[in-house]
Amino acid sequence: MADSKREVERKYEATPETRLPDLTRVAGVSAVAHHGLSELDAVYYDTEDFRLAAAGLTLRRRTGGDDAGWHLKIPVSPGVRDEIRAPLSDTLPPGLGELLRSRVRHTPVAPVVRILSARDVHHLLGEDGTLLAELSIDEVLAERLTEKGHGITSAWTEMEVELADDGDPVFLDAVERRLRKAGVRPSDAPSKLARALADTAPGKRPKIRKTAAPRTAGDHVLAYVRRQVTALVELDPAVRRDLPDSVHRMRVATRRLRSAFRTYRTILDRTVTDPLRDELKWLAAELGVDRDQEVLDARLRDRTAAVPGPLLLGPVRARLKLTSVAGRTGSRRRVTSVLDTERYLALLDALDAFLADPPLLAAAARPPRKALPRAVLKDYERLATRVGHALEQPPGADRDVAMHEARKAAKRVRYAAEAARPVLGKPAKKFAQRMKSVQSVLGDHQDSVVARDALRTLAVQAHGAGESAFTWGLLYGREEAAAAARERELPETWARASRPGLRAALKG
């Protein structure tokens, strides 16, 4: 079973003559203990077109040291990576292969570089002997293993300082200041693999071309779409690892893509985007099973916690926990199985193909300050119609449905404004914030509708088991009151969000 570790480290240039300065002069360091020498032998894997390296991921099989095995490193932020480890074996462990699936799909990974490191390790210790950080000086030899460039080698020396578990990253700043005073400089390469691939590349190194800044309406829409596709792919392993909020964020990326394809249909050809929208709708619905269960569980827990003890009649918390565990277990299993389907992988391929050859219409060449506000305001008019319809309905099921439809329209307007923000600036930001306030009111109302359905089911189950249904009825009544409060709140929230000045500012 693979385990994971958050790795926070800094890399520095060094030479065989590099000597450590006195690091006990760093605040908090009372001793520097020599931990010994080790020989590490790592083979790094990637696809033929280096998809993992392009995304900053590294996959290696390493022997030597105290952590021999398979290691997959996923970037979190500059200098921070999650390292997922699996036991040493001859073939790629299935668990790591699953985490790579959104990147490699059906393309196999193969050895690309072998890196041998002679590592000299030192431990930076606090007053009580606690490990603060591990500093190593590595003598590195890298050899290219790909067909092109096979056998090309490169050698260098580098220094790494890795923060101990649960350490404060500020400590690394203090260590770096001391190293800089001693003439040690940060490395330009983010990882050994990145340097090895650059140094052993056959022929001349290709010049890195900077992406041109978006100029046309089409440029800006495609940049937004590209960000959402990237988020979708990057969040896949996070969802598989069940990281907090990962399902929600992945679902939002699918919704933003659908919204962009719908809002900017005068810029992007619908004959291409409509099939993509259908598949994104399917994926969002599948992700929603787990996300909706998560939201419902949190809401019911909070509502139950607010009930005074004397009013909790029967095994309320136990039944709620049992229902929650059963629901989340099934929804988690469903999400991970969806990510392994051919349909999902085909969707990712189709999105890549879309970006490689975008189906731009004539309007895509227009100035963005004219085309984008027009599309946003068209979505706004749809929202205005739906809010008006919802406000006309008497309390009851019809109003609940109308408010839910208005909520979905509010999300589309908000996403459309967010997509236009790089062009329109503060007016788009403010407009999106106003739409979010409408969405929040409508969203809380819909969450109450869903919660009432769940509470009625729980009451029926409790009654059938001979338990008191009093508390479930109490919670149901409180949800009714919460929904009524949102309904009263909507007219004022909508009045603020629909001020003509906001729309005028968006038009410029």
Side-chain angles (χ1 to χ4, degrees), residues 50-301:
F50 297 101
R51 296 181 195 177
L52 301 184
L57 279 71
T58 61
L59 173 66
R60 72 186 178 201
R61 180 185 184 276
R62 190 167 77 180
T63 57
D66 55 6
D67 64 345
W70 287 86
H71 305 155
L72 171 62
K73 297 190 179 187
I74 301 175
V76 176
S77 60
V80 182
R81 296 186 292 183
D82 279 346
E83 181 177 274
I84 298 95
R85 301 174 178 176
L88 194 63
S89 61
D90 292 335
T91 57
L92 177 65
L96 297 189
E98 291 170 1
L99 297 179
L100 296 173
R101 192 154 294 151
S102 67
R103 298 286 186 185
V104 304
R105 319 254 169 102
H106 295 296
T107 304
V109 295
V112 294
V113 167
R114 182 184 185 189
I115 296 180
L116 303 176
S117 301
R119 172 163 291 181
D120 189 9
V121 179
H122 300 76
H123 284 178
L124 309 187
L125 306 175
E127 291 184 2
D128 58 355
T130 302
L131 177 65
L132 302 177
E134 180 177 282
L135 184 150
S136 62
I137 299 177
D138 294 348
E139 298 286 344
V140 183
L141 175 64
E143 179 185 6
R144 190 87 166 197
L145 301 178
T146 58
E147 183 177 351
K148 292 182 179 180
H150 190 280
I152 298 177
T153 62
S154 177
W156 68 91
T157 303
E158 69 178 36
M159 181 185 298
E160 293 181 359
V161 183
E162 182 175 344
L163 192 67
D165 293 345
D166 301 321
D168 186 348
V170 172
F171 175 71
L172 294 184
D173 294 336
V175 174
E176 180 164 311
R177 285 193 293 270
R178 184 65 186 154
L179 291 174
R180 281 179 175 270
K181 285 184 178 179
V184 179
R185 293 291 177 261
S187 173
D188 292 331
S191 66
K192 285 185 175 65
L193 176 62
R195 178 161 183 173
L197 289 176
D199 288 355
T200 64
K204 295 182 179 180
R205 296 184 188 179
K207 292 183 179 179
I208 299 176
R209 295 182 179 180
K210 293 183 179 181
T211 303
R215 293 183 300 109
T216 65
D219 290 341
H220 282 278
V221 172
L222 287 176
Y224 180 79
V225 169
R226 186 171 288 106
R227 288 195 296 272
Q228 306 316 314
V229 173
T230 298
L232 191 62
V233 172
E234 289 181 346
L235 286 166
D236 178 293
V239 170
R240 294 177 188 273
R241 295 169 61 199
D242 199 17
L243 296 185
D245 208 35
S246 57
V247 173
H248 172 61
R249 292 165 58 204
M250 191 176 193
R251 190 185 187 192
V252 168
T254 65
R255 285 176 163 173
R256 283 176 169 153
L257 280 169
R258 288 184 62 221
S259 176
F261 290 152
R262 178 167 183 166
T263 298
Y264 299 108
R265 61 181 62 185
T266 60
I267 293 172
L268 303 171
D269 189 347
R270 287 188 60 183
T271 62
V272 177
T273 60
D274 280 358
L276 290 174
R277 285 185 62 239
D278 290 341
E279 290 303 284
L280 289 165
K281 182 179 181 179
W282 160 77
L283 179 58
E286 294 291 349
L287 294 171
V289 174
D290 187 62
R291 173 59 181 170
D292 292 345
Q293 185 67 47
E294 182 182 24
V295 171
L296 176 62
D297 289 348
R299 189 179 184 95
L300 295 184
R301 281 197 305 271

Side-chain angles (χ1 to χ4, degrees), residues 98 101 240 335-342 344-345:
E98 291 170 1
R101 192 154 294 151
R240 294 177 188 273
V335 166
T336 53
S337 64
V338 164
L339 299 185
D340 288 330
T341 62
E342 290 298 324
Y344 167 69
L345 296 179

Side-chain angles (χ1 to χ4, degrees), residues 109 253 356 363 382 396 454 486:
V109 295
R382 182 184 297 106
R486 299 292 83 74

Side-chain angles (χ1 to χ4, degrees), residues 296 300 449-459:
L296 176 62
L300 295 184
V449 172
V450 174
R452 277 179 278 160
D453 286 343
L455 288 167
R456 185 181 183 282
T457 299
L458 287 164

Side-chain angles (χ1 to χ4, degrees), residues 382-464:
R382 182 184 297 106
L383 170 61
T385 299
R386 292 191 180 183
V387 171
H389 177 66
L391 293 175
E392 291 171 355
Q393 303 302 309
D398 288 344
R399 175 178 280 192
D400 291 345
V401 172
M403 291 184 72
H404 183 43
E405 291 302 312
R407 175 198 187 189
K408 291 189 287 186
K411 281 185 180 181
R412 283 197 294 270
V413 182
R414 173 191 162 197
Y415 294 155
E418 288 174 348
R421 184 178 169 184
V423 176
L424 306 178
K426 288 184 179 179
K429 178 182 179 181
K430 189 172 183 179
F431 192 81
Q433 289 173 338
R434 294 296 189 187
M435 295 304 108
K436 185 176 181 180
S437 68
V438 175
Q439 177 191 329
S440 295
V441 171
L442 294 168
D444 192 61
H445 181 275
Q446 176 61 17
D447 289 347
S448 178
V449 172
V450 174
R452 277 179 278 160
D453 286 343
L455 288 167
R456 185 181 183 282
T457 299
L458 287 164
V460 170
Q461 292 172 347
H463 179 74

